[in-house]
Amino acid sequence: MPDHVELRPGGYHDSVSLMQVSHAVAIVPGVVAAQVAMATDLNLEVIASMGFTVPAGAGPNDLVVALRAADAATVDAGLQALESALADLHSAAATSTGLGAPPRPRTVGGAVAASQANLALVSVPGPHAGIEALDAIRSGVSVMVFSDNVPVEQEVLLKSEAAVRGVLVMGPDCGTAIVGGVALGFANVVRAGSVGVVAASGTGAQQVMCLLDAAGVGISHCLGVGGRDLSSPVGGRSTRQALAALAADPATASIVVVSKPPAPEVLAALEAHAAGLGKPVTWAILGPGRPDLTASIEAMVSLSGAMPPRWPTRKVEPPSAPVAAPVDGPTTTSGSLRGLFCGGTLADEAMLIASEYVGGIRSNIALTPELGLGPDLRHDGHVVIDFGDDALTRGRAHPMIDPSLRLSRIALEAVDPSCGVLLLDLVLGHGAHPDPAPDLAAAIASARRAAAAGGRELAVVVSLIGTDADPQGWTRSADLLAEAGAAVLLSNAEATRHALNLLGHRTRPRQTLPPSPEAGRRAVNPPGDGVRMPLEGEVTVATVGAGVLSDALRAQAVSITEANWQPPMTGTEGDLWAVSTDARRDAANALALARMTAAGADLVDVRPAREALGLERGTFLHAGPPITFERASGPLRGALIGAMLLEGLADTAEEAAAVLTRGEGIVLEPCHHRGAVGPMAGVISASMWVYELHDSGHGNTSWCSLNEGLGKVLRYGAFGPEVIERLRWMGAVLGPILQQAVRARLEQQSPIDVKAIIAAMLQMGDEGHNRNRAGSLLLLRELLPTMITADAPSSDIAEAVRFSGANEHFFLNLGMPACKLATVAAHGIPGCSVVTTMARNGTDFGIRVSGTGDEWFTAPAGTPQGLFLGSYGPADANPDIGDSAITETAGIGGFAMAAAPAIVRFVGGDVAFALRTTAMMYQITVGEHPAYQVPILEFRGTPTGIDVVAVARTGILPQINTGMAGRVAGTGQVGAGLVTPPAACFSQALAALAARTP
Amino acid sequence: MSALVGPLVVASWPAAVSPLVAAWIDGPPRGRRVLSAFATCLYVELGSHDRVMAVHTPDAVQLPIGVRLSGPVRLNDLVHAGDVVTVGGGRVQLPGADVVGVRRSRPVRVGLGGGTAPSAWRSLGLALPGAGLRDDLDGLDDVATRLCVAALTGRPVQAGVGRLVGAGRGLTPSGDDLLCGILLSLRAFERPPHGAHSALKRAVLSRLHRTTSISAALISAATQGWAAPDIVRLLGLLAGSVPPRPTELCAVWNRAQCIGHTSGADLLAGITATVTALTSLASPMRDTDPLSVRLRQSEAAHA
């Protein structure tokens, strides 16, 4: 099991922040142990005692990261979570005005919303790119997908959805675009003008744009469509959208489409469609029997009446023209063509042209299967290699950035007597190597020397794709290459023909094609609603995973918002896609949110559980998902024993335990199964009195036990005589008085509106789970008038009032069933990914989801981390327990921490943390609660409706504020802290949802 | 790009330069005075009263005279009003940082309309928050409405313009923002040959010396149709041939209100005044229409 230990000097963070960071790493599935702390002696001792080897020289100003995980991949995942958590801290601190900044969004949809971006850029690994692109499309913006390895089925679905939403998908595997003068990915600096380019090939588009620039013709925009767009399955969907966008763009007067060989029927359909666009379209499409890219551009330039220029060259004497006589200078008619390319399209073009003269050319991207190459990529005859092909870029950067593989091959060819001419491409511009010409020139010079030493003249031809405005400079780069002995040409087609000339072949003269007929001048199919691309005005970009691409955009003074992305929960990609593309989901989630937030909660009665729930003798309800007595933790066991004693089913604790263990005549059931909720152990038995709440809008009812107060109480597993006595008093005195009070209030006035109390208490510093002081006072105020006039001895009434008033969590037992009503209203909607139950039984944490009905998804409960009372410590804490997480499920509790900053004194953290927590929860919820508002967030509604998809995607787990129970039954509360559900609950739920998609 | 740096290290900050101010950035370096410095925006004079550039951060409103940085920074920690900075040679030299023009930005513009009346207004306008006439403009919005009516009916506009240019306390006085709103919306809605727009433009341009340089520069740009993106978008929606979706219209309207402290609201008031004028001239409003009542009241008060 691998350990990872590292020191980060000079990285100071306060211990509370580091506690959060440590926790974020520790909860990554598969991480066994994690510590992130300042390397003080004390901390180093702890880390060493965990079995880690601490590096020497660690000082207290250094940050030490110690991580142990199941395997190397999990270590990486843990480190990624570390970076993400640190990034959140930094963003909070960077613009600190004391309250901290909101955490960065983790998805591209979040980034678009936060910044009003009008274009998205996705560059995360292929398996995850589809979800991000879908997110961008649904946020209403066009998206450039730089990522490759996106399954074609996903591409088709993305582009179909994009067509419906009126946006454009540039990609997948799109590396080149220019929008409004802004270069995205690999693009050259070309003059502005009125030609719009649609590019199904990146380097092909670069060749075309550089030629146009050299001819004095400018570009309005270059819209990429992805390398696979013109294949049969995809059918040119993005090409169609791009054509529509350019047809509607006032700055574009004519259009050129650039592609490698496409599916013929797709091309035919597009050509027909383009004829009705109202602007002339040139098809610069490579293919057997079709003109090369240069010829197509020459035809296009001729259309405007101008003569195509002589394309720039160096050391091509005479210029690449019909060879009437042998070329001046040495020719190597005995050698072979060796084409070593970085751009796939350029390699294709070279092969298409050369095959006409030299026959079959071997290649790793051969035109026909029998012309393939072996793994060493060597052959005696003519060879063309695309170094940018996937197989050659595993684990290394693209050759346009890292040229080392090709440089090695050049050296090999130099000493290979069968090599006659080296044909190379070199692409300049944004995104490429900052200055590739010197290294290539040196390699060429060295190769020519090596060949000369072997008595051979090695001819070298370079097609240099670039402009003088590029950072590297075309002229400067060309001069360097020419000095090294290469012939340099801007046109790849001309370079190929020149190489063939040098091998002694006569090539056909430059074809001046007639300009294509004036098709497309009339707009027969005027574009409909238009495609939402920022073709006018400024481009603002939201990026995810983009790294270097983001830097390039910032260098062009483009405002960008980067999502703080991390991979989704391991193994969930397939399920995420299935559920995200479920047509029912958006409407289902909207309905769930509407119902959840509209649900009312009126206190209508107080009755014994026997009556209210029909609870049978020997049946005990408990908090959390189903569990057996064997597996139950201390507090739950103690509470069950106490309940047995209360019901008279046993005389002693030992007897009770024995009966419970045997299980005869005993039924244990989750409170949730009966529409009830219980705090902590949450045990409800027949004699216990319960509050009854009603949601008249949806016709649902929920129940919860009465709160026993603090100290040694049943819900913490105490079962001593004082506990039983108090419970009896509650049943004999408190319950009936409350019943009278509630019924009288209902009769004389109206039921107590518990939902209204929640709304009010959130604006008085409560959050409804761990802090209920204001709510308890508000409740008391509602109850007092009719409590006082109840028919009971005044001493009983006084004791009931004192008991209720002394309990600062008095309201919790009403807030919880109110939240239960809200979640019940949202439950059972097909296709809905909203969580409707979060509950713990002290051993397991269980969730239920609206769209998967009553199925529980469980995993071992975590132990809360926080602050301890008295001399208690972490070893004293029981795993998370109670149904009180129903508050977070309904949008309050930990989700409303920003409304209750004082709570950080109990659970740990600082005020900024409280605000940040609520801010984070917006990223995993469907919407905001209209009634529950947080004053300091300008009365923004609390984040409501936890979405399983969002949790799995972002790795942000719902934050729960909770009390901590002592492990040993009857200990009572040992502290308060923060806890999250296990990630496994959500991945399981997601899988179940995916299995139910139509 | 580094964020805030001390004076000993000169950072280089890429910026997108508006074509309206590019000539001064590209020209020979000259000392220029900082007129006003805020955290997110600096105003720098460019040699004549109505030539100003705004160096601003990406989260600030995109002004047509803007030089837009690509990252957040507190500009007023670096410079203050009255400081002299060197502008030219492709950059603006601030203490500790060079703002380098790396690309031309593409400000947006209200096109000269073909005379489509903003028909959507009647049903949507009264539902927009803050639409209709305001109570806090000291009667300037009434002046604005009457000025529009005068311009559209060929009556003299000098007096009305004189009451608006420079009226108000701020850096861009409310009267100026009202005028910008009127000029922009006349471009969008008035029928060719845009006589009212031409008349107002002449009158306004002759009075620019009576207001702040910053405001003069923005008015000047507005006479050519240049404005912040949300204003251009709003007018585009209202002047379009297809009625806009209410949610989209509301969203753009709300964003426009947030421009500056009161500038956005004042611009919208100018637009409202123009539409009120156009609507009342195109078809007589019902007596009970609140806008009509208000208009008649104001006419009576100033008769």
Side-chain angles (χ1 to χ4, degrees):
Chain A
M1 201 172 284
D3 276 3
H4 173 94
V5 184
E6 67 175 284
L7 277 182
R8 297 187 180 197
Y12 174 77
H13 295 283
D14 64 278
S15 56
V16 173
S17 303
L18 288 181
M19 188 177 85
Q20 309 307 329
V21 171
S22 260
H23 180 65
V25 178
I27 58 175
V28 172
V31 168
V32 173
Q35 278 294 327
V36 181
M38 299 312 294
T40 57
D41 286 343
L42 210 60
N43 287 336
L44 290 179
E45 268 174 44
V46 170
I47 289 171
S49 74
M50 292 167 78
F52 290 107
T53 312
V54 177
N61 290 327
D62 301 325
L63 186 70
V64 60
V65 177
L67 173 58
R68 179 174 297 136
D71 52 48
T74 312
V75 169
D76 284 342
L79 290 172
Q80 192 129 23
L82 171 71
E83 294 308 325
S84 202
L86 287 173
D88 282 340
L89 280 185
H90 284 137
S91 76
T95 51
S96 154
T97 53
L99 297 180
R104 278 165 49 198
R106 293 208 184 171
T107 63
V108 73
V112 168
S115 61
Q116 301 285 321
N118 53 24
L119 184 66
L121 175 53
V122 172
S123 185
V124 298
H128 308 301
I131 279 278
E132 294 299 315
L134 187 64
D135 201 6
I137 292 165
R138 287 181 173 170
S139 303
V141 297
S142 292
V143 56
M144 176 173 175
V145 183
F146 193 81
S147 318
D148 58 6
N149 287 314
V150 175
V152 66
E153 306 78 38
Q154 289 193 2
E155 178 172 352
V156 173
L157 207 140
L158 286 169
K159 291 181 174 179
S160 302
E161 180 125 2
V164 168
R165 306 236 177 196
V167 296
L168 173 66
V169 177
M170 297 196 284
D173 200 15
C174 171
T176 297
I178 299 179
V179 179
V182 171
L184 296 141
F186 300 107
N188 302 92
V189 181
V190 293
R191 74 188 75 218
S194 63
V195 173
V197 180
V198 178
S201 152
T203 41
Q206 290 186 271
Q207 164 79 105
V208 157
M209 290 193 282
C210 289
L211 289 169
L212 286 170
D213 184 78
V217 177
I219 303 293
S220 56
H221 314 278
C222 172
L223 304 179
V225 295
R228 208 167 37 192
D229 192 62
L230 294 173
S231 66
S232 289
V234 186
R237 283 169 164 81
S238 278
T239 304
R240 217 171 265 263
Q241 282 289 73
L243 287 170
L246 292 170
D249 174 40
T252 300
S254 63
I255 299 170
V256 57
V257 181
V258 187
S259 173
K260 297 192 270 206
E265 76 280 7
V266 174
L267 180 61
L270 282 169
E271 279 173 322
H273 172 77
L277 280 179
K279 294 183 184 172
V281 179
T282 299
W283 298 88
I285 310 289
L286 286 178
R290 292 190 69 113
D292 56 65
L293 295 178
T294 303
S296 296
I297 295 309
E298 288 171 349
M300 186 176 186
V301 170
S302 311
L303 255 183
S304 59
M307 262 293 289
R310 291 225 168 274
W311 303 112
T313 64
R314 286 287 180 285
K315 268 202 135 169
V316 178
E317 293 159 19
S320 186
V323 181
V327 176
D328 264 0
T331 54
T332 49
T333 50
S334 58
S336 291
L337 174 71
R338 299 283 155 84
L340 308 177
F341 282 82
C342 298
T345 304
L346 302 171
D348 272 336
E349 185 179 52
M351 278 197 291
L352 283 165
I353 293 171
S355 320
E356 278 187 59
Y357 298 94
V358 303
I361 300 181
R362 296 262 170 182
S363 173
N364 65 331
I365 52 164
L367 298 172
T368 53
E370 59 273 12
L371 290 171
L373 281 171
D376 64 349
L377 302 178
R378 306 293 301 269
H379 194 268
D380 285 342
H382 307 289
V383 175
V384 166
I385 296 177
D386 170 18
F387 283 89
D389 184 56
D390 282 348
L392 294 172
T393 53
R394 299 240 158 84
R396 64 188 320 133
H398 194 278
M400 270 166 70
I401 300 165
D402 174 11
S404 45
L405 206 59
R406 183 168 74 158
L407 293 175
S408 320
R409 179 59 180 250
I410 290 173
L412 279 177
E413 294 291 345
V415 297
D416 179 352
S418 67
C419 172
V421 166
L422 265 183
L423 177 60
L424 312 165
D425 65 348
L426 187 62
V427 183
L428 308 177
H430 285 296
H433 189 287
D435 193 12
D439 281 346
L440 186 60
I444 289 170
S446 162
R448 280 172 56 77
R449 276 196 303 274
R456 294 185 313 281
E457 169 82 19
L458 175 62
V460 179
V461 181
V462 178
S463 60
L464 181 64
I465 313 299
T467 66
D468 271 325
D470 280 338
Q472 305 90 343
W474 193 91
T475 301
R476 189 185 146 271
S477 305
D479 286 343
L480 281 168
L481 293 165
E483 257 174 60
V488 183
L489 302 90
L490 174 61
S491 159
N492 186 59
E494 284 188 356
T496 306
R497 283 195 288 271
H498 185 63
L500 292 166
N501 294 156
L502 292 173
L503 286 175
H505 299 277
R506 294 178 172 211
T507 53
R508 278 187 285 287
R510 168 164 117 180
Q511 318 157 257
T512 3
L513 295 175
S516 34
E518 292 267 299
R521 285 233 181 263
R522 295 166 304 114
V524 170
N525 315 320
D529 251 346
V531 177
R532 252 173 297 154
M533 273 292 293
L535 298 186
E536 294 181 293
E538 284 288 283
V539 177
T540 42
V541 186
T543 73
V544 62
V548 173
L549 295 172
S550 295
D551 292 339
L553 285 171
R554 265 189 286 264
Q556 296 176 74
V558 175
S559 77
I560 73 172
T561 303
E562 293 183 85
N564 183 15
W565 186 84
Q566 61 182 50
M569 291 181 182
T570 318
T572 56
E573 306 83 56
D575 293 334
L576 278 173
W577 181 259
V579 178
S580 297
T581 51
D582 182 349
R584 307 168 299 173
R585 181 168 155 262
D586 281 348
N589 286 358
L591 181 61
L593 178 71
R595 286 192 184 165
M596 195 181 281
T597 55
D602 294 327
L603 176 58
V604 295
D605 210 348
V606 185
R607 297 194 281 163
R610 170 185 306 114
E611 268 177 54
L613 290 163
L615 206 52
E616 309 81 3
R617 189 169 158 78
T619 298
F620 299 98
L621 305 185
H622 62 81
I627 192 165
T628 59
F629 190 73
E630 283 71 39
R631 294 188 64 238
S633 61
L636 181 54
R637 286 181 170 225
L640 287 167
I641 288 169
M644 288 278 287
L645 295 172
L646 177 70
E647 298 297 329
L649 288 169
D651 292 323
T652 64
E654 294 72 24
E655 198 191 321
V659 175
L660 284 162
T661 307
R662 281 200 307 275
E664 335 162 330
I666 301 296
V667 175
L668 299 181
E669 215 182 311
C671 292
H672 275 292
H673 286 192
R674 301 284 192 113
V677 283
M680 287 295 146
V683 170
I684 301 178
S685 62
S687 315
M688 298 184 196
W689 283 59
V690 293
Y691 293 113
E692 184 168 305
L693 280 74
H694 190 63
D695 169 18
S696 51
H698 300 104
N700 296 317
T701 310
S702 70
W703 299 267
C704 184
S705 46
L706 307 184
N707 196 299
E708 302 155 83
L710 308 171
K712 293 227 179 291
V713 288
L714 189 79
R715 72 177 182 280
Y716 280 104
F719 49 80
E722 73 278 14
V723 175
I724 309 302
E725 210 179 291
R726 186 188 307 111
L727 285 168
R728 291 202 209 283
W729 173 82
M730 286 167 69
V733 177
L734 179 66
I737 288 175
L738 286 173
Q739 181 186 81
Q740 285 191 56
V742 169
R743 287 183 180 181
R745 160 64 195 255
L746 196 151
E747 240 178 70
Q748 297 162 15
Q749 193 178 325
S750 60
I752 293 174
D753 183 349
V754 178
K755 184 179 179 183
I757 295 179
I758 294 177
M761 71 197 260
L762 288 176
Q763 302 197 9
M764 296 168 72
D766 282 350
E767 36 77 283
H769 184 159
N770 225 349
R771 195 181 160 92
N772 290 284
R773 292 183 186 181
S776 298
L777 290 171
L778 289 171
L779 174 61
L780 200 59
R781 183 177 70 174
E782 297 297 309
L783 280 170
L784 270 177
T786 44
M787 270 179 94
I788 291 170
T789 52
D791 182 14
S794 57
S795 55
D796 282 351
I797 292 177
E799 180 56 22
V801 169
R802 189 210 61 77
F803 180 83
S804 307
N807 180 3
E808 61 183 36
H809 286 293
F810 181 40
F811 180 77
L812 178 66
N813 294 50
L814 283 150
M816 283 173 56
C819 292
K820 174 68 176 166
L821 284 171
T823 57
V824 164
H827 190 66
I829 301 172
C832 179
S833 54
V834 171
V835 177
T836 46
T837 308
M838 289 199 295
R840 320 84 107 203
N841 57 29
T843 310
D844 301 317
F845 196 117
I847 72 169
R848 297 189 300 180
V849 174
S850 178
T852 50
D854 292 334
E855 195 178 340
W856 285 96
F857 306 103
T858 63
T863 304
Q865 289 189 331
L867 302 174
F868 292 91
L869 302 169
S871 57
Y872 291 121
D876 299 308
N878 196 67
D880 201 19
I881 185 170
D883 281 335
S884 52
I886 197 70
T887 53
E888 281 82 14
T889 315
I892 59 174
F895 281 44
M897 259 186 105
I903 205 165
V904 300
R905 289 280 166 87
F906 295 103
V907 301
D910 55 9
V911 173
F913 169 75
L915 297 173
R916 214 158 52 233
T917 299
T918 296
M920 288 281 266
M921 296 301 107
Y922 286 112
Q923 297 197 43
I924 57 170
T925 46
V926 174
E928 301 175 10
H929 206 297
Y932 301 154
Q933 297 171 351
V934 182
I936 204 169
L937 299 179
E938 298 287 345
F939 297 93
R940 190 174 179 188
T942 59
T944 306
I946 301 165
D947 185 353
V948 169
V949 168
V951 172
R953 250 182 101 186
T954 61
I956 298 172
L957 293 166
Q959 182 66 71
I960 299 170
N961 269 352
T962 186
M964 284 195 249
R967 264 188 328 101
V968 173
T971 306
Q973 183 170 6
V974 301
L978 301 158
V979 74
T980 53
C985 293
F986 296 91
S987 47
Q988 287 173 39
L990 186 67
L993 275 169
R996 289 187 185 215
T997 53
Chain B
M1 181 189 109
S2 47
L4 188 55
V5 292
L8 296 179
V9 177
V10 179
S12 182
W13 295 346
V17 177
S18 163
L20 275 68
V21 299
W24 287 269
I25 304 275
D26 294 339
R30 295 271 308 268
R32 304 287 187 197
R33 205 161 44 85
V34 174
L35 295 170
S36 202
F38 302 95
T40 57
C41 185
L42 293 177
Y43 292 103
V44 181
E45 57 84 15
L46 293 175
S48 56
H49 180 73
D50 64 344
R51 292 274 174 238
V52 172
M53 78 175 166
V55 179
H56 66 90
T57 58
D59 50 324
V61 173
Q62 291 176 44
L63 294 174
I65 52 170
V67 173
R68 186 160 174 243
L69 303 172
S70 65
V73 69
R74 292 186 65 83
L75 289 165
N76 55 356
D77 283 350
L78 295 178
V79 286
H80 309 284
D83 289 353
V84 174
V85 296
T86 308
V87 178
R91 54 205 179 120
V92 178
Q93 294 175 50
L94 304 177
D98 268 3
V99 174
V100 179
V102 295
R103 131 184 108 81
R104 286 277 191 280
S105 70
R106 301 191 305 161
V108 286
R109 198 173 183 184
V110 176
L112 280 169
T116 329
S119 58
W121 183 268
R122 304 275 334 139
S123 52
L124 295 169
L126 294 177
L128 291 170
L133 305 175
R134 283 166 45 185
D135 293 323
D136 58 343
L137 275 173
D138 293 332
L140 288 179
D141 45 350
D142 285 353
V143 173
T145 313
R146 288 198 312 282
L147 176 62
C148 284
V149 170
L152 287 163
T153 51
R155 302 210 300 271
V157 297
Q158 305 295 333
V161 168
R163 290 186 60 193
L164 288 176
V165 174
R169 274 183 300 242
L171 206 56
T172 59
S174 293
D176 292 352
D177 289 324
L178 279 162
L179 274 170
C180 283
I182 294 170
L183 287 162
L184 292 165
S185 37
L186 283 174
R187 274 182 81 90
F189 304 136
E190 192 189 0
R191 283 181 226 290
H194 302 279
H197 181 266
S198 308
L200 279 175
K201 175 175 167 176
R202 271 196 306 277
V204 164
L205 288 177
S206 70
R207 280 179 175 72
L208 289 183
H209 57 279
R210 300 173 83 195
T211 186
T212 68
S213 255
I214 293 162
S215 199
L218 291 170
I219 293 174
S220 198
T223 60
Q224 303 292 321
W226 304 102
D230 284 322
I231 299 290
V232 175
R233 178 107 190 97
L234 177 71
L235 289 169
L237 285 174
L238 290 171
S241 48
V242 178
R245 277 181 317 211
T247 44
E248 192 178 357
L249 189 65
C250 271
V252 178
W253 180 275
N254 286 334
R255 285 204 305 271
Q257 295 233 310
C258 297
I259 294 173
H261 285 110
T262 56
S263 286
D266 294 340
L267 279 159
L268 293 175
I271 295 174
T272 307
T274 311
V275 173
T276 306
L278 281 167
T279 320
S280 73
L281 290 171
S283 56
M285 285 187 278
R286 286 203 308 277
D287 284 351
T288 49
D289 189 298
L291 289 182
S292 169
V293 169
R294 184 74 184 268
L295 198 57
R296 273 181 289 123
Q297 282 172 346
S298 97
E299 294 265 338
H302 291 88

